[in-house]
Amino acid sequence: MERLVNRTPNVEQMAQPLTHGGGGNLLHFSARESDAPAVGMLNDRFEEFSKAAPIASLFKLVIDPVMVVATLLVLARAFDLAYDGYVIILAVIAFLLSALILEGTFLFVPGYSRPLLGMARFATGWLLICALVIMIGWATHWSVYYDENFVLAWMILAPVSLVATHWLIRVGFLFKEGRAQANAATRKVVVIGANKMGRALARRIQHSALQNMTFLGFFDDRGLDRLEGVKEEEMLGGLDRLPEFIRSNDVHELYISLPMTKQPRVMQMLDEMHDTTVSIFFVLDFSVFDLIQARFELAAGMPVVAVCESPFLGLRGLAKRFSDIVLATLILLLIWPVMLAVAIAVKLTSKGPVFFTQQRYGADGERITVYKFRSMKVHSEHAGTVTQATRNDPRLTPIGGFLRRTSLDELPQFINVLEGKMSIVGPRPHANAHNEMYRKLIKGYMMRYKVKPGITGWAQVNGYRGETETLEKMQKRIEYDLDYLRNWSLWLDIKIILATVMMIIRDKNAY
């Protein structure tokens, strides 16, 4: 199968601070978060944009759904349509879909190096919204109450008004806030530790399009001959020179990128900084961990670092569940004739029940029952063993190979989605016997069960669908599953769903 992307999972991260008072200084601990932008109003990953232009950032997060609905209502008045129940229903659907799908958040973000990609994602998101509105209208039959010219005009003018609005935000709010920032004093920054994390932070500071920061250099006890990628003029000396440099050069921010093994030296440094006003940040190197949705949280009022957590918490969890319910309902309304035909074909071609139920691990390892159309003859296996299907498997029914190859056997799992046991997109559920075996062989295997299993997943659209006859194949599948958890967004879910539709026609790995 042609892969959706030509890359292995990337977990490169960026620093983000959390304030923690103490010692007279402003002490920050920094975790790292993915560079990839998220979808819609749920998670503004442009942290620097939010800090540099907070008013514009907040405005941009809510403007998309508001403008979509405003355009709808203005056109309704222009077409002399009453604001009755049907117009209100359409407005509510448009608002929710726009909030969940549109990526207009970064259409005109300064410093964003791929504006054409941003426009392409925005256009794709809007086309998806239009398609969903049409599908909902067709499935519920309320589309017959609308003027087709009115709906068409809205679908054309709404994105135009959005682009125009974002451009006005760009030249208005950002110009005003950018001018205020330009007049503000530049923050002088030094980094302690010219290691990999320290160098990465320094380069980000130097190339930031938004933060008004000046990188002065590194402090490190090692010589240049032991440091890679550091220029001679960037080295300010050893740690013993740090206190005097801070005082004499009016340094505003100090970033400590030293391993925790240097704790006594770090504590000594903090003591020496007590008579300064410098803000101090720790850049923690989490590269030794397999991070899943790393972030800072409060536990009973105390700051803690999450290194392995579900991405579907809070608003993200609501967005995921809402999209699952909407899409599963629409899909079931569309495919019920196909499901009926498959059920009849299964019953006529082999003895046994139409549906085959399996016990699988769900979210947090809880046992769930997964539904499938039966594709194999009724048989039994030894307790605790599950034999994967193979090409030309003799256990397949006359239509079993076709059902598995086209994934028609998995259509009943949309019922699992409505029940809340599964999600449309997520790690595919494995047989329980396989779970018990591979959890002992593959590091991080059970992390994939931090979330609900999916009908399709990131591993499947990247070529790891069907039989995993080697440990290496299963390891790659798990890598993609964990990459999905690290970098989840609604946009990624949409890409996986679209890729799955195309893959079913081409894939040769399912049987």
Side-chain angles (χ1 to χ4, degrees):
M1 191 199 85
E2 182 181 357
R3 295 191 178 184
L4 184 63
V5 293
N6 294 318
R7 67 172 181 88
T8 55
N10 183 356
V11 293
E12 182 186 355
Q13 309 287 332
M14 64 183 288
Q16 293 201 9
L18 176 75
T19 303
H20 175 65
N25 289 313
L26 187 61
L27 180 61
H28 294 254
F29 296 91
S30 296
R32 296 177 294 162
E33 187 170 314
S34 172
D35 290 336
V39 177
M41 63 185 291
L42 299 174
N43 187 15
D44 182 10
R45 290 291 183 91
F46 286 91
E47 187 70 17
E48 294 181 72
F49 175 56
S50 300
K51 292 178 180 178
I55 298 177
S57 178
L58 178 62
F59 193 52
K60 287 166 72 65
L61 288 176
V62 300
I63 193 61
D64 289 346
V66 170
M67 284 303 302
V68 166
V69 173
T71 305
L72 178 74
L73 297 179
V74 169
L75 285 173
R77 181 59 58 89
F79 278 80
D80 198 23
L81 300 177
Y83 292 157
D84 56 15
Y86 294 102
V87 172
I88 298 302
I89 290 173
L90 180 57
V92 171
I93 292 173
F95 183 92
L96 293 175
L97 292 177
S98 301
L100 292 172
I101 295 174
L102 283 185
E103 290 209 24
T105 304
F106 62 98
L107 276 177
F108 295 104
V109 172
Y112 185 60
S113 60
R114 306 178 71 182
L116 292 181
L117 177 61
M119 288 295 294
R121 287 186 173 184
F122 172 75
T124 303
W126 180 249
L127 290 176
L128 178 61
I129 290 173
C130 294
L132 289 174
V133 167
I134 293 172
M135 289 175 60
I136 293 173
W138 174 80
T140 59
H141 301 290
W142 51 250
S143 58
V144 298
Y145 295 95
Y146 287 111
D147 185 332
E148 293 182 358
N149 294 328
F150 159 66
V151 176
L152 180 62
W154 170 69
M155 291 181 175
I156 295 173
L157 291 180
V160 175
S161 65
L162 282 172
V163 171
T165 302
H166 280 283
W167 183 81
L168 290 175
I169 295 171
R170 175 70 175 85
V171 299
F173 282 95
L174 290 181
F175 174 77
K176 184 180 297 184
E177 295 198 32
R179 185 171 58 182
Q181 176 141 335
N183 294 331
T186 300
R187 289 176 292 156
K188 299 177 183 178
V189 174
V190 297
V191 176
I192 310 304
N195 50 27
K196 183 177 179 181
M197 287 292 296
R199 295 194 304 271
L201 175 61
R203 303 303 171 238
R204 287 178 177 273
I205 292 173
Q206 289 172 317
H207 296 98
S208 172
L210 293 170
Q211 297 295 335
N212 199 17
M213 303 165 70
T214 298
F215 171 67
L216 299 182
F218 295 103
F219 281 91
D220 200 303
D221 287 334
R222 296 173 295 175
L224 277 173
D225 57 327
R226 297 176 58 193
L227 301 174
E228 296 181 3
V230 179
K231 301 175 183 178
E232 183 177 358
E233 60 270 20
E234 292 179 329
M235 288 302 301
L236 301 177
L239 299 184
D240 56 332
R241 293 193 54 200
L242 176 63
E244 180 57 32
F245 184 91
I246 294 292
R247 297 185 186 94
S248 60
N249 289 274
D250 192 26
V251 176
H252 299 88
E253 295 179 2
L254 171 64
Y255 289 85
I256 301 176
S257 179
L258 294 177
M260 289 297 101
T261 55
K262 302 288 186 181
Q263 181 181 1
R265 186 70 184 95
V266 170
M267 297 306 297
Q268 179 185 345
M269 248 190 320
L270 292 178
D271 287 338
E272 293 170 348
M273 295 297 105
H274 280 172
D275 62 344
T276 73
T277 59
V278 65
S279 296
I280 302 175
F281 297 76
F282 271 99
V283 184
L284 302 182
D285 185 1
F286 286 129
S287 60
V288 296
F289 301 106
D290 190 9
L291 299 184
I292 304 293
Q293 294 293 323
R295 61 180 175 271
F296 281 97
E297 296 181 355
L298 291 178
M302 294 191 64
V304 295
V305 180
V307 297
C308 180
E309 183 56 280
S310 168
F312 307 131
L313 299 176
L315 285 177
R316 286 173 144 218
L318 290 176
K320 179 73 168 175
R321 183 62 183 143
F322 175 80
S323 63
D324 278 341
I325 292 174
V326 171
L327 291 176
T329 301
L330 291 174
I331 291 172
L332 286 171
L333 288 172
L334 291 172
I335 67 173
W336 72 265
V338 177
M339 293 182 65
L340 179 60
V342 171
I344 294 174
V346 169
K347 195 64 177 177
L348 294 178
T349 56
S350 64
K351 296 180 179 180
V354 170
F355 295 105
F356 174 60
T357 61
Q358 298 171 309
Q359 291 296 308
R360 294 289 187 259
Y361 285 180
D364 296 320
E366 295 183 0
R367 300 295 181 99
I368 63 172
T369 300
V370 174
Y371 311 129
K372 297 180 71 173
F373 282 123
R374 184 172 55 83
S375 60
M376 289 190 173
K377 301 170 185 176
V378 177
H379 66 283
S380 60
E381 294 188 339
H382 296 293
T385 63
V386 177
T387 305
Q388 286 187 319
T390 58
R391 194 178 300 277
N392 300 319
D393 196 311
R395 298 172 298 167
L396 291 171
T397 66
I399 63 169
F402 172 76
L403 294 181
R404 297 176 69 90
R405 191 164 49 250
T406 58
S407 295
L408 290 175
D409 63 320
E410 296 173 0
L411 293 183
Q413 291 173 22
F414 286 104
I415 300 174
N416 286 123
V417 174
L418 290 182
E419 289 178 337
K421 297 177 181 178
M422 293 182 65
S423 180
I424 293 179
V425 179
R428 284 290 298 152
H430 296 160
N432 292 348
H434 291 162
N435 290 328
E436 296 306 317
M437 177 178 68
Y438 285 118
R439 70 189 302 174
K440 302 174 183 176
L441 300 175
I442 300 176
K443 180 181 178 181
Y445 178 87
M446 290 302 292
M447 290 182 184
R448 68 198 303 272
Y449 290 107
K450 294 294 296 179
V451 301
K452 297 175 185 177
I455 297 176
T456 184
W458 188 227
Q460 282 64 44
V461 299
N462 277 283
Y464 293 93
R465 176 176 181 250
E467 184 182 9
T468 50
E469 68 275 12
T470 66
L471 180 62
E472 289 73 20
K473 281 190 175 182
M474 182 60 79
Q475 286 175 325
K476 292 298 295 183
R477 177 182 286 186
I478 302 308
E479 286 181 18
Y480 278 103
D481 286 341
L482 299 185
D483 188 50
Y484 170 78
L485 298 186
R486 295 184 188 99
N487 302 296
W488 175 82
S489 69
L490 284 173
W491 176 251
L492 180 58
D493 275 3
I494 293 168
K495 288 199 297 186
I496 292 173
I497 292 171
L498 296 177
T500 300
V501 174
M502 299 301 299
M503 180 191 67
I504 289 173
I505 303 174
R506 305 173 183 172
D507 190 32
K508 306 301 181 183
N509 292 334
Y511 30 82

Coordinates of all heavy atoms in Angstrom, one line a residue, residues 342-343 345-357 371-379 395-401 403-404 408-410 412:
V342 N -25.0 -7.7 3.6 CA -24.0 -8.6 4.1 C -24.5 -9.6 5.1 O -24.1 -10.8 5.0 CB -22.9 -7.7 4.8 CG1 -21.9 -8.6 5.5 CG2 -22.2 -6.8 3.7
A343 N -25.4 -9.2 5.9 CA -26.0 -10.1 6.9 C -26.7 -11.3 6.2 O -26.5 -12.4 6.6 CB -26.9 -9.4 7.8
A345 N -26.1 -12.3 3.2 CA -25.1 -13.2 2.5 C -24.4 -14.1 3.4 O -24.1 -15.2 3.1 CB -24.1 -12.2 1.8
V346 N -24.0 -13.6 4.6 CA -23.3 -14.4 5.6 C -24.2 -15.6 6.0 O -23.8 -16.7 6.1 CB -23.0 -13.6 6.9 CG1 -22.5 -14.5 8.0 CG2 -21.9 -12.6 6.5
K347 N -25.5 -15.3 6.2 CA -26.4 -16.4 6.7 C -26.6 -17.4 5.6 O -26.8 -18.6 5.9 CB -27.8 -15.7 7.0 CG -28.7 -16.6 7.8 CD -28.1 -17.0 9.2 CE -29.0 -17.8 10.0 NZ -28.4 -18.2 11.3
L348 N -26.7 -17.0 4.3 CA -26.9 -17.9 3.2 C -25.7 -18.8 2.8 O -25.9 -19.8 2.2 CB -27.5 -17.2 2.0 CG -28.8 -16.5 2.2 CD1 -29.2 -15.8 0.9 CD2 -29.9 -17.5 2.5
T349 N -24.5 -18.3 3.1 CA -23.3 -19.0 2.6 C -22.6 -19.9 3.6 O -21.7 -20.6 3.2 CB -22.3 -17.9 2.1 OG1 -22.0 -17.0 3.2 CG2 -22.8 -17.2 0.9
S350 N -23.0 -19.8 4.9 CA -22.4 -20.7 5.8 C -23.3 -20.9 7.1 O -24.1 -20.0 7.4 CB -21.0 -20.2 6.2 OG -21.1 -18.9 6.9
K351 N -23.1 -22.0 7.8 CA -23.9 -22.2 9.0 C -23.3 -21.4 10.1 O -22.1 -21.2 10.2 CB -23.9 -23.7 9.3 CG -24.6 -24.6 8.3 CD -24.5 -26.0 8.7 CE -25.2 -26.9 7.7 NZ -25.2 -28.3 8.0
G352 N -24.1 -20.9 11.0 CA -23.7 -20.2 12.1 C -24.3 -18.8 12.2 O -25.1 -18.4 11.4
P353 N -24.0 -18.1 13.3 CA -24.6 -16.7 13.5 C -24.1 -15.7 12.5 O -23.0 -15.9 11.9 CB -24.1 -16.4 14.9 CG -22.9 -17.1 15.1 CD -23.0 -18.4 14.3
V354 N -24.8 -14.7 12.3 CA -24.4 -13.6 11.4 C -23.3 -12.8 12.0 O -22.3 -12.5 11.3 CB -25.6 -12.7 11.1 CG1 -25.2 -11.4 10.4 CG2 -26.7 -13.4 10.3
F355 N -23.4 -12.5 13.3 CA -22.4 -11.7 13.9 C -21.4 -12.6 14.7 O -21.8 -13.6 15.2 CB -23.0 -10.7 14.9 CG -23.9 -9.7 14.2 CD1 -25.3 -9.8 14.2 CD2 -23.3 -8.6 13.5 CE1 -26.1 -8.8 13.6 CE2 -24.1 -7.7 12.9 CZ -25.5 -7.8 12.9
F356 N -20.2 -12.1 14.8 CA -19.2 -12.8 15.6 C -18.7 -11.8 16.6 O -18.3 -10.6 16.3 CB -18.0 -13.2 14.7 CG -16.8 -13.7 15.4 CD1 -16.9 -14.8 16.2 CD2 -15.6 -13.1 15.3 CE1 -15.8 -15.4 16.8 CE2 -14.5 -13.6 15.9 CZ -14.6 -14.7 16.7
T357 N -18.8 -12.1 17.9 CA -18.4 -11.2 19.0 C -17.0 -11.6 19.5 O -16.7 -12.8 19.6 CB -19.4 -11.2 20.1 OG1 -19.6 -12.5 20.6 CG2 -20.8 -10.7 19.6
Y371 N -18.2 -6.2 17.9 CA -19.0 -6.9 16.9 C -18.4 -6.9 15.5 O -17.8 -5.9 15.1 CB -20.4 -6.1 16.8 CG -21.0 -5.8 18.1 CD1 -21.5 -4.6 18.4 CD2 -21.2 -6.8 19.1 CE1 -22.1 -4.3 19.6 CE2 -21.8 -6.5 20.3 CZ -22.2 -5.3 20.6 OH -22.8 -5.0 21.8
K372 N -18.5 -8.0 14.9 CA -18.1 -8.1 13.5 C -19.1 -9.1 12.7 O -19.7 -9.9 13.4 CB -16.7 -8.7 13.4 CG -15.6 -7.9 14.0 CD -14.2 -8.6 13.9 CE -13.7 -8.5 12.5 NZ -12.3 -9.0 12.4
F373 N -19.1 -8.9 11.4 CA -19.8 -9.9 10.6 C -18.9 -11.2 10.6 O -17.7 -11.0 10.4 CB -20.1 -9.4 9.2 CG -21.2 -8.5 9.1 CD1 -21.1 -7.2 8.6 CD2 -22.5 -8.9 9.5 CE1 -22.1 -6.3 8.5 CE2 -23.6 -8.0 9.4 CZ -23.4 -6.7 8.9
R374 N -19.5 -12.3 10.7 CA -18.7 -13.5 10.8 C -18.1 -13.8 9.4 O -18.8 -13.9 8.4 CB -19.6 -14.7 11.2 CG -18.8 -16.0 11.3 CD -19.7 -17.1 12.0 NE -20.9 -17.3 11.2 CZ -21.0 -18.0 10.1 NH1 -20.0 -18.7 9.7 NH2 -22.2 -18.1 9.5
S375 N -16.8 -13.9 9.3 CA -16.1 -14.2 8.0 C -15.4 -15.6 8.0 O -14.9 -16.0 7.0 CB -15.0 -13.1 7.8 OG -14.1 -13.1 8.8
M376 N -15.5 -16.3 9.1 CA -14.9 -17.6 9.2 C -16.0 -18.7 9.6 O -17.0 -18.3 10.2 CB -13.8 -17.7 10.2 CG -12.5 -16.9 9.8 SD -11.1 -17.2 10.9 CE -9.8 -16.4 10.0
K377 N -15.7 -19.9 9.2 CA -16.5 -21.0 9.6 C -16.5 -21.1 11.2 O -15.5 -20.8 11.8 CB -16.1 -22.3 9.0 CG -16.1 -22.2 7.4 CD -15.5 -23.4 6.8 CE -15.4 -23.3 5.3 NZ -14.7 -24.4 4.7
V378 N -17.6 -21.6 11.7 CA -17.6 -21.9 13.2 C -16.6 -22.9 13.5 O -16.5 -24.0 13.0 CB -19.0 -22.3 13.6 CG1 -19.0 -22.6 15.1 CG2 -20.0 -21.2 13.3
H379 N -15.6 -22.6 14.4 CA -14.6 -23.5 14.8 C -14.2 -23.1 16.3 O -14.6 -22.1 16.8 CB -13.4 -23.4 13.9 CG -12.7 -22.1 14.0 ND1 -13.2 -21.0 13.3 CD2 -11.5 -21.7 14.6 CE1 -12.4 -19.9 13.5 NE2 -11.4 -20.4 14.3
R395 N -10.2 -21.6 6.9 CA -11.3 -21.4 7.9 C -12.3 -20.3 7.3 O -13.4 -20.2 7.9 CB -10.8 -20.9 9.2 CG -9.9 -21.9 9.9 CD -9.3 -21.3 11.2 NE -8.4 -20.2 10.8 CZ -7.9 -19.3 11.7 NH1 -8.2 -19.4 12.9 NH2 -7.1 -18.4 11.2
L396 N -11.9 -19.6 6.3 CA -12.8 -18.5 5.7 C -14.0 -19.1 5.1 O -14.0 -20.2 4.4 CB -12.0 -17.7 4.7 CG -10.8 -16.8 5.2 CD1 -10.0 -16.2 4.1 CD2 -11.4 -15.7 6.1
T397 N -15.1 -18.4 5.2 CA -16.4 -18.8 4.6 C -16.2 -18.4 3.1 O -15.3 -17.7 2.7 CB -17.5 -18.0 5.2 OG1 -17.4 -16.6 4.9 CG2 -17.6 -18.3 6.7
P398 N -17.2 -18.8 2.2 CA -17.1 -18.5 0.8 C -16.9 -17.0 0.5 O -16.3 -16.6 -0.5 CB -18.4 -19.0 0.2 CG -18.7 -20.2 1.1 CD -18.2 -19.8 2.5
I399 N -17.6 -16.1 1.4 CA -17.4 -14.7 1.2 C -16.5 -14.0 2.2 O -16.4 -12.8 2.3 CB -18.8 -14.0 1.2 CG1 -19.5 -14.2 2.6 CG2 -19.7 -14.6 0.1 CD1 -20.7 -13.3 2.7
G400 N -15.9 -14.9 3.1 CA -15.2 -14.3 4.2 C -14.0 -13.5 3.8 O -13.7 -12.5 4.3
G401 N -13.3 -14.1 2.7 CA -12.1 -13.3 2.2 C -12.5 -12.0 1.7 O -11.8 -11.0 1.9
L403 N -15.1 -10.2 2.5 CA -15.5 -9.3 3.6 C -14.3 -8.7 4.4 O -14.3 -7.5 4.7 CB -16.4 -10.1 4.6 CG -17.7 -10.6 4.1 CD1 -18.5 -11.3 5.3 CD2 -18.6 -9.4 3.6
R404 N -13.3 -9.5 4.6 CA -12.1 -9.1 5.3 C -11.3 -8.1 4.4 O -10.7 -7.1 4.9 CB -11.3 -10.2 5.8 CG -12.0 -11.1 6.8 CD -11.2 -12.3 7.2 NE -10.0 -12.0 8.0 CZ -10.0 -11.9 9.3 NH1 -11.1 -12.2 10.0 NH2 -8.9 -11.6 9.9
L408 N -15.7 -5.0 5.1 CA -17.1 -5.0 5.4 C -17.4 -5.8 6.6 O -18.5 -5.5 7.3 CB -17.8 -5.7 4.2 CG -17.8 -4.9 2.9 CD1 -18.5 -5.7 1.7 CD2 -18.6 -3.6 3.1
D409 N -16.6 -6.7 7.1 CA -16.8 -7.5 8.3 C -16.8 -6.6 9.5 O -17.3 -6.9 10.6 CB -15.8 -8.6 8.4 CG -14.4 -8.1 8.5 OD1 -14.1 -7.2 7.8 OD2 -13.6 -8.7 9.3
E410 N -16.2 -5.4 9.4 CA -16.0 -4.5 10.5 C -17.1 -3.4 10.6 O -17.1 -2.6 11.6 CB -14.6 -3.9 10.5 CG -13.5 -4.9 10.6 CD -12.1 -4.3 10.4 OE1 -12.1 -3.0 10.2 OE2 -11.1 -5.0 10.5
P412 N -20.2 -3.5 11.6 CA -21.0 -3.5 12.9 C -20.2 -2.7 14.0 O -20.9 -2.4 15.1 CB -21.2 -5.0 13.3 CG -21.1 -5.7 12.0 CD -20.1 -4.9 11.2

